[in-house]
Amino acid sequence: MEKILKTFFDNAQVEISKNIRFEDTDLYDYLLKFYGAAPIFSENGFIKVVETKDSYILSENIFYDNYPSEDCRFISIEGLQINSSLIQNCDIGLNLSRNGFAIVPVKNEALLASLKMMSSLKYTEAEHIVSNEPFGTIKFNDEIWKKAIFTPSQILEKIFYDGILDAFNQTISFSDILKSLDIFDLNILEWRRGLSMDAHNGVDYKSFVNMISYNTEKCSKSRTLKMGHFEWEEITKEAIKSSNYENLMSIDSSNVVLAEHEVETMSFVLVNSFNPRFFHQVSEFNSDGSLYVCTANKSFKSITEKFHFKW
């Protein structure tokens, strides 16, 4: 089997000889096992295939188009509904592709203000210590990627849910691939002093892009979100093979921190969750009061419906 998987995700592209069949590469094998359906050549897709005299260049075509003027074909996953592969190259997409994250200003301040008004389910102190969980959470269904269920009293929650979806869609509208993502989910977290979350890459959700938003108005100071990359290949391949992603919940494999962002109400953090190379880590919250966080995910329904997810 031709090994091109690591080079592709480390560089967002890889060049292979015309003598090599894509079906005989470990990238093909990874996509097949991870998404539960065969990669196919298609008129539209999330990997662009550019032909040179002696080779093919396979380039990630979700966040940034490295070859915008080249004639090409695409690689997709069987069953995905993608009508266009056009990308309007921009700094947000470039940062997502190269660094795994992008910081984006919030346009609707009132939307994030409502985070602190929602009541959350409370965990016990013992559970915080054992499971490294937030103090409380709101989940609108027992399973991720299922339709949100709102009680009659959750009017504010529904307005917030719809508002985040709209803001998410506007933020990723530069890419027709991202606009094709047709399933969405979110949860709301409350953090209090002493709580943190280890480095993780989030590939277990099978999402393509995440958006994290915050409200810091009820705490005396904020905290940082660390973002970077790590030696991902073997640990990720083993997780996919065993369908056990626990080792990707606490990553400690030559972690390289690219940025430490002090979270704030007026900025979203977009995360490239397609590329398993990238991690993000929630630093310990050392403040009085509460920090409120919303994590939102987008993917393809034809992929997520093949798997069973639990929060």
Side-chain angles (χ1 to χ4, degrees):
M1 182 177 291
E2 191 73 20
K3 296 187 178 299
I4 64 171
L5 175 69
K6 189 174 190 306
T7 301
F8 173 77
F9 280 117
D10 284 356
N11 299 283
Q13 63 179 18
V14 64
E15 187 170 6
I16 63 174
S17 167
K18 286 186 175 179
N19 296 325
I20 298 171
R21 295 173 68 248
F22 176 60
E23 293 81 356
D24 295 330
T25 69
D26 58 350
L27 176 56
Y28 177 92
D29 188 61
Y30 170 93
L31 296 172
L32 172 64
K33 291 177 178 177
F34 185 60
Y35 291 122
I40 57 173
F41 289 98
S42 176
E43 290 185 2
N44 290 291
F46 55 83
I47 297 175
K48 175 175 275 193
V49 182
V50 178
E51 183 176 1
T52 71
K53 180 181 178 182
D54 301 313
S55 66
Y56 295 108
I57 299 171
L58 311 183
S59 179
E60 173 256 294
N61 194 71
I62 299 173
F63 306 102
Y64 195 82
D65 186 352
N66 292 303
Y67 302 92
S69 61
E70 298 289 339
D71 292 333
C72 62
R73 54 179 173 159
F74 295 91
I75 294 170
S76 184
I77 296 294
E78 191 173 23
L80 297 195
Q81 299 298 314
I82 301 173
N83 296 321
S84 169
S85 298
L86 293 176
I87 296 175
Q88 299 175 30
N89 283 344
C90 61
D91 288 342
I92 292 175
L94 182 62
N95 286 328
L96 282 165
S97 181
R98 302 292 191 270
N99 300 320
F101 70 93
I103 312 299
V104 182
V106 169
K107 295 180 180 179
N108 183 356
E109 184 176 359
L111 178 65
L112 278 305
S114 64
L115 262 175
K116 64 183 182 293
M117 304 175 192
M118 301 179 197
S119 60
S120 50
L121 305 175
K122 307 302 180 185
Y123 292 106
T124 67
E125 186 70 18
E127 286 178 315
H128 293 154
I129 296 171
V130 172
S131 59
N132 201 24
E133 291 281 353
F135 179 78
T137 185
I138 298 175
K139 301 168 183 175
F140 301 112
N141 199 301
D142 289 338
E143 296 184 53
I144 190 172
W145 304 125
K146 298 297 183 182
K147 184 177 180 179
I149 299 173
F150 297 96
T151 66
S153 63
Q154 289 181 310
I155 298 173
L156 185 62
E157 285 82 352
K158 187 176 188 313
I159 293 172
F160 178 79
Y161 183 98
D162 293 341
I164 287 292
L165 175 57
D166 182 61
F168 203 164
N169 287 339
Q170 289 184 40
T171 305
I172 61 177
S173 62
F174 62 89
S175 165
D176 283 1
I177 297 291
L178 294 176
K179 286 163 65 176
S180 298
L181 300 173
D182 57 1
I183 193 164
F184 166 77
D185 213 336
L186 66 75
N187 66 347
I188 298 168
L189 311 172
E190 179 185 349
W191 294 88
R192 294 193 182 181
R193 180 183 292 274
L195 302 177
S196 63
M197 186 172 289
D198 293 338
H200 55 287
N201 67 357
V203 297
D204 53 314
Y205 281 175
K206 317 248 185 236
S207 102
F208 278 66
V209 62
N210 301 347
M211 188 175 77
I212 312 172
S213 49
Y214 304 89
N215 184 288
T216 58
E217 297 172 17
K218 291 295 184 179
C219 55
S220 55
K221 62 179 180 179
S222 182
R223 68 161 175 216
T224 59
L225 180 69
K226 296 180 181 180
M227 295 156 289
H229 57 79
F230 72 108
E231 291 299 323
W232 60 273
E233 184 181 20
E234 293 306 320
I235 187 174
T236 303
K237 285 164 61 176
E238 180 57 35
I240 295 170
K241 179 180 177 181
S242 63
S243 296
N244 182 350
Y245 293 89
E246 285 301 316
N247 288 336
L248 291 176
M249 301 297 109
S250 185
I251 293 168
D252 184 17
S253 180
S254 302
N255 294 8
V256 176
V257 176
L258 298 176
E260 293 191 42
H261 171 64
E262 184 170 322
V263 303
E264 58 178 348
T265 307
M266 292 311 297
S267 63
F268 296 124
V269 179
L270 288 178
V271 176
N272 173 350
S273 47
F274 164 76
N275 192 329
R277 179 177 188 245
F278 299 117
F279 73 83
H280 53 287
Q281 178 177 357
V282 176
S283 299
E284 184 173 340
F285 183 52
N286 294 312
S287 172
D288 295 328
S290 294
L291 170 68
Y292 295 91
V293 182
C294 170
T295 62
N297 312 282
K298 295 206 75 175
S299 187
F300 290 100
K301 185 177 181 179
S302 61
I303 289 174
T304 61
E305 65 186 4
K306 295 183 177 71
F307 302 92
H308 181 69
F309 298 92
K310 295 292 288 184
W311 287 105

